[in-house]
Amino acid sequence: MIATIVEQVTELVTPHIKAPYEVVDVEYGKMGGDYVLSILVDKPGGISVDDTAELTDVISPLLDTIKPDPFPEQYFLEVSSPGLERPLKTKEALENAVGSYVNVSLYKAIDKVKVFEGDLLAFDGENLTIDYLDKTRHKTVDIPYQTVAKARLAVKL
């Protein structure tokens, strides 16, 4: 049911969010005792509080047009920036992240490892190549795209 809500909202909202804005992710779930619909939006240079207010004014009335109402309970709408660790949900997002520091979780382990964090050296649409640190040594791993469960930008500390 949650996947259906996310899909419906994404399909409805995305065409109405015009450049320079970009819908990065849509999430729906319970936070504390409340349901929250989070729509993460970005633009080059980042978004401001005024941007989120303007986008909320565009998105909120659109949500009221979904029939039948897919939301089982009252919810809060949150329009915000994806932050420094933005999710990389599409092949295009991964292509744009080449050269960035990333965190990638896998459905199936490669050499007994299910999470890799390092520099995304390349992505050809089928495989990601990541340079990561194994203890003190740099290693490179090729990860088939279909084995990626989650990918996001990461902050190097």
Side-chain angles (χ1 to χ4, degrees), residues 2-156:
I2 286 175
T4 310
I5 290 172
V6 167
E7 287 166 10
Q8 280 184 300
V9 170
T10 302
E11 283 177 28
L12 176 70
V13 169
T14 302
H16 295 277
I17 305 301
K18 304 291 186 211
Y21 301 109
E22 162 199 15
V23 174
V24 174
D25 197 13
V26 175
E27 298 170 347
Y28 177 73
K30 212 164 189 173
M31 270 190 195
D34 300 312
Y35 281 93
V36 177
L37 175 66
S38 295
I39 300 178
L40 304 180
V41 182
D42 208 1
K43 74 175 185 189
I47 64 172
S48 68
V49 173
D50 289 341
D51 291 330
T52 60
E54 183 182 316
L55 291 166
T56 299
D57 290 343
V58 170
I59 294 167
S60 188
L62 290 172
L63 297 175
D64 296 334
T65 67
I66 303 175
K67 301 288 184 239
D69 185 352
F71 300 98
E73 294 189 35
Q74 188 174 349
Y75 64 93
F76 290 98
L77 172 61
E78 171 187 83
V79 178
S80 63
S81 160
L84 294 175
E85 295 192 341
R86 81 182 269 160
L88 303 169
K89 295 267 188 165
T90 63
K91 286 185 175 185
E92 183 183 31
L94 281 164
E95 286 166 4
N96 292 335
V98 170
S100 300
Y101 193 73
V102 298
N103 177 293
V104 178
S105 301
L106 308 179
Y107 289 116
K108 194 173 85 182
I110 295 176
D111 296 329
K112 300 181 184 166
V113 179
K114 283 188 87 169
V115 178
F116 289 92
E117 191 164 294
D119 295 308
L120 181 59
L121 301 178
F123 177 63
D124 64 7
E126 296 301 319
N127 292 291
L128 296 84
T129 304
I130 296 178
D131 173 56
Y132 68 102
L133 216 50
D134 182 11
K135 296 185 176 81
T136 58
R137 296 182 57 210
H138 277 273
K139 289 188 176 181
T140 302
V141 62
D142 287 322
I143 301 170
Y145 177 71
Q146 71 267 15
T147 66
V148 175
K150 275 185 168 181
R152 63 175 170 78
L153 291 180
V155 177
K156 196 184 240 179

